Amino acid sequence: MMKYLQKLGKSLMLPVAVLPAAAILMGIGYWIDPSGWGANSAVAAFLIKAGGAIIDNLPWLFAVGVAVGMAKKNDGAAALSGLVAFLVVTTMLSSGTVAMLKGIPVEEVPGAFGKIVNAFTGIISGLVAAACYNRFRETKLPQFLAFFSGRRCVPIVTSVAMLVVSIILFFVWPVIYGALVSFGIAIKDLGPLGAGIYAFFNRLLIPTGLHHALNQVFWQNLAGINDIGNFWGPTEELLACNGIVGNYTVGMYQAGFFPVMMFGLPGAALAMYHTAKNNKKKIASSLLLAAAFSSFFTGVTEPLEFSFMFLAPGLYLAHAVLTGISVAFAAAMQWMAGFGFSAGFVDFVLSSRLPMAKQPWMLLVQGVVFFAIYYVLFRFLITKFDLKTPGREEDDVSDAEMNATLANNDFTKVAEIVLEGLGGKENITSIDNCVTRLRLEIVDYTKVNEKKIKSAGVMGVVRPSKTSVQVIVGTQVQFVADEFKKLCE
């Protein structure tokens, strides 16, 4: 199971890699025009829309990215199937479709269906599409249906599979969503403790998209709290009582996120960088640095969280616990700030002078402490339990292998020699590659000629089992893999 989750985590790296730049564009645009979100500035509108084209469509990216990453041959048919899967489930469970199926007005459709376009449905769509591709990509149909054989049948099978998934979610999704709303309402009167519990589940539920259920209770006006609205546009009654009503203080469900997003997660990124393998530090740093800056500047944490969420689930649980502690502590200390975009530097500066802000600069002090806590705890857990965070994946190789270059830069020729040494394309059942290795599944291990393979200039051959062969190529592996796949078609 852990190996499957780690492969899923690696599959998410492709879509996650594009998020930091998009988040920063949106953050700058929001800074320029925080009230109008581009309505008052053409420059702001350009930046916000440019970044939003990626951020707002993250579930679509996950559907395609996971399908490609989890498929055995990273084929375009898998990507198309991921898109088809996502289109089916989000269309079948949209508010309009549900209204027609139930024969009720759209206004009466449970709010859960208005939140069906999320990272969870994107990931599920990608997983189903990849499973269908791996199972049906070589299916041979009768002659009169031959056109739909092989890869062409995969999107068709995927669409049928997603109809089944849609039926299941039709009954399950609103029940779970409603239960979380009820849970949020039950803890809303617990003061700082309730704020901490909410923040814990807010982070924990992000992979499923169900955090929106709790957000509606605390950030919007579903249960009469409307914390974001009250912070940015307080009523005269709230101004008169300084934003304190019983156990509730305006901003208490927002403020504690700033120390985590601006400081805690960057501290976690630094810990992951320092614990990465020496030969992968450069690769890890490029992702972690961009993701950490995105978290600090804009409060968009998905690039960083999804980089270790599935690779090291236990670490993500620790992150959720720390977030809960941070929010509860800030609420108890009455240090308040709010956000309209997310809990990053931009919103901190914009909100710190508003009437409902209370000692916001103390959140920076808390943030420094949480930077240290995240760094120490993450570094300890990663090294203690050998967690596979970015730069520590199982396909790690030595420095010599990472820095190796092929003796022959004719990648087509190299692929031909390797294929011959593996017994020809009839002996290959699966082709994949990591950072430095071709990872292959074979039929007959007796046909493998290691001497022949090494004559191509590769660094070595590893044979983990009778059906698996890994050819160590070096950092040029992608070029060899592309040519190798062409030869096997």
Side-chain angles (χ1 to χ4, degrees):
M1 183 61 181
M2 281 302 302
K3 187 176 181 180
Y4 184 82
L5 288 175
Q6 288 170 8
K7 185 175 181 180
L8 173 59
K10 290 173 65 177
S11 299
L12 289 169
M13 290 301 98
L14 180 61
V16 163
V18 305
L19 296 181
I24 292 168
L25 286 176
M26 287 192 73
I28 296 172
Y30 173 62
W31 188 317
I32 295 172
D33 184 18
S35 60
W37 280 79
N40 305 314
S41 168
V43 174
F46 178 82
L47 295 172
I48 290 172
K49 293 301 181 181
I54 304 300
I55 298 294
D56 297 342
N57 294 300
L58 180 61
W60 298 77
L61 299 180
F62 279 1
V64 174
V66 169
V68 172
M70 299 296 285
K72 287 185 177 180
K73 291 191 177 182
N74 307 131
D75 192 88
L80 177 61
S81 299
L83 180 60
V84 168
F86 190 69
L87 287 170
V88 169
V89 69
T90 54
T91 299
M92 295 302 298
L93 298 182
S94 66
S95 297
T97 303
V98 172
M100 287 191 290
L101 292 174
K102 289 190 170 186
I104 60 176
V106 174
E107 296 75 17
E108 297 179 13
V109 173
F113 293 109
K115 301 294 183 181
I116 197 63
V117 179
N118 58 62
F120 171 71
T121 51
I123 292 172
I124 289 296
S125 299
L127 291 175
V128 171
C132 290
Y133 176 85
N134 294 338
R135 174 66 179 82
F136 297 103
R137 71 184 187 278
E138 296 178 353
T139 298
K140 292 181 175 60
L141 299 176
Q143 188 62 35
F144 69 97
L145 293 174
F147 177 80
F148 300 102
S149 295
R151 291 178 297 177
R152 288 193 182 98
C153 82
V154 175
I156 300 173
V157 174
T158 300
S159 64
V160 175
M162 287 309 293
L163 286 176
V164 176
V165 173
S166 298
I167 292 172
I168 296 172
L169 290 177
F170 180 84
F171 295 102
V172 173
W173 182 256
V175 173
I176 298 176
Y177 196 94
L180 284 171
V181 170
S182 299
F183 172 72
I185 293 173
I187 65 172
K188 72 183 181 67
D189 295 322
L190 296 180
L193 176 60
I197 295 173
Y198 154 66
F200 167 74
F201 283 101
N202 170 278
R203 292 296 97 182
L204 197 65
L205 292 170
I206 277 184
T208 68
L210 288 166
H211 62 297
H212 291 296
L214 292 180
N215 291 347
Q216 286 193 28
V217 173
F218 297 98
W219 289 352
Q220 277 80 50
N221 204 26
L222 181 65
I225 297 177
N226 194 27
D227 198 39
I228 292 178
N230 287 337
F231 190 92
W232 292 88
T235 62
E236 292 184 3
E237 291 78 9
L238 287 173
L239 289 171
C241 64
N242 199 27
I244 302 175
V245 182
N247 288 333
Y248 168 62
T249 301
V250 174
M252 66 185 292
Y253 299 109
Q254 303 171 71
F257 284 99
F258 284 97
V260 172
M261 296 181 178
M262 291 176 62
F263 296 93
L265 281 172
L270 183 62
M272 287 187 280
Y273 168 73
H274 282 162
T275 55
K277 302 295 184 181
N278 289 332
N279 54 18
K280 284 196 171 184
K281 279 194 183 319
K282 289 184 179 180
I283 295 174
S285 66
S286 61
L287 168 66
L288 295 173
L289 178 61
F293 184 75
S294 171
S295 181
F296 171 81
F297 186 67
T298 68
V300 175
T301 58
E302 284 85 353
L304 198 47
E305 289 171 327
F306 277 96
S307 73
F308 68 90
M309 183 184 293
F310 295 104
L311 290 173
L315 210 56
Y316 191 78
L317 176 62
H319 164 51
V321 171
L322 289 174
T323 303
I325 293 172
S326 176
V327 172
F329 184 78
M333 298 302 294
Q334 298 281 296
W335 299 336
M336 297 299 154
F339 46 80
F341 181 57
S342 192
F345 178 75
V346 175
D347 264 313
F348 179 81
V349 173
L350 293 173
S351 71
S352 61
R353 295 184 180 180
L354 295 180
M356 291 294 99
K358 295 180 174 65
Q359 302 184 73
W361 303 108
M362 289 303 297
L363 293 172
L364 301 182
V365 177
Q366 181 180 336
V368 172
V369 174
F370 267 77
F371 179 93
I373 292 173
Y374 264 81
Y375 177 81
V376 172
L377 182 61
F378 268 55
R379 182 160 188 165
F380 169 77
L381 292 175
I382 291 170
T383 54
K384 175 70 174 179
F385 299 103
D386 190 26
L387 301 179
K388 305 305 180 184
T389 48
R392 293 177 60 86
E393 297 91 341
E394 290 181 356
D395 54 26
D396 287 328
V397 294
S398 69
D399 290 336
E401 293 167 353
M402 280 295 294
N403 295 323
T405 57
L406 296 179
N408 185 344
N409 286 325
D410 184 347
F411 302 116
T412 301
K413 185 64 176 178
V414 172
E416 289 175 350
I417 296 172
V418 171
L419 181 58
E420 183 182 348
L422 288 167
K425 65 180 182 180
E426 296 78 12
N427 200 37
I428 307 298
T429 61
S430 175
I431 307 169
D432 196 5
N433 68 276
C434 60
V435 179
T436 59
R437 301 186 184 195
L438 276 175
R439 304 168 75 92
L440 309 157
E441 295 294 322
I442 59 172
V443 178
D444 186 354
Y445 76 98
T446 62
K447 293 183 179 181
V448 177
N449 185 337
E450 292 189 18
K451 185 176 180 180
K452 181 67 176 180
I453 296 172
K454 290 179 181 179
S455 70
V458 300
M459 293 299 297
V461 179
V462 179
R463 303 172 72 170
S465 68
K466 289 186 177 181
T467 60
S468 299
V469 177
Q470 298 177 9
V471 181
I472 304 170
V473 178
T475 53
Q476 297 164 310
V477 66
Q478 185 63 63
F479 303 109
V480 176
D482 291 342
E483 296 301 323
F484 194 90
K485 291 174 183 178
K486 292 177 184 178
L487 294 173
C488 290
E489 290 179 350

